[in-house]
Amino acid sequence: MDIAELINTYGFPIVAAGGMGYMIFFVWTWATKEVKPVLREANTVLIALIDRVRMLDNDLIRLNQKVDVVLHLRGKTIDHERMIAEEKINQIKKDDE
């Protein structure tokens, strides 16, 4: 039976509804058998990548804090050395006068 005979026998709305039903069934089976497993795998990979990014972010935060502490301590050392040098210069100026 071809489509023209089906339309002649049952009418266009019935044949169109059957065709749309088959199309919906085809898309549903394709989505559940082929797309869903791929999405599940991609979701697993995405979760693993998010965890890695969070770990790297935490590592960067800790490293940044360490660098800030070192710079802060080094800044105090530099300031202390500068103050000692200024005191020596001031002492030399007083001795020259």
Side-chain angles (χ1 to χ4, degrees):
M1 227 180 216
D2 64 338
I3 294 189
E5 288 180 27
L6 287 174
I7 292 174
N8 193 21
T9 305
Y10 299 109
F12 178 76
I14 303 296
V15 174
M20 288 174 46
Y22 175 74
M23 181 67 176
I24 291 170
F25 174 75
F26 176 76
V27 170
W28 180 74
T29 55
W30 172 77
T32 56
K33 290 182 181 177
E34 293 185 27
V35 175
K36 196 172 182 179
V38 172
L39 286 177
R40 188 174 298 125
E41 181 182 337
N43 192 21
T44 304
V45 170
L46 180 63
I47 290 171
L49 288 174
I50 288 171
D51 289 343
R52 288 179 184 168
V53 167
R54 284 183 184 160
M55 286 188 332
L56 287 173
D57 189 40
N58 289 337
D59 290 345
L60 285 174
I61 289 170
R62 276 189 254 126
L63 181 62
N64 195 17
Q65 288 175 344
K66 290 176 183 177
V67 168
D68 287 343
V69 167
V70 168
L71 289 176
H72 181 70
L73 292 175
R74 182 63 184 149
K76 283 185 177 179
T77 304
I78 291 172
D79 288 341
H80 181 68
E81 290 171 359
R82 183 178 50 84
M83 289 173 47
I84 292 173
E86 286 177 0
E87 288 176 3
K88 285 181 182 178
I89 291 172
N90 290 336
Q91 187 65 31
I92 292 173
K93 285 182 183 178
K94 285 182 183 178
D95 291 342
D96 288 341
E97 292 176 356

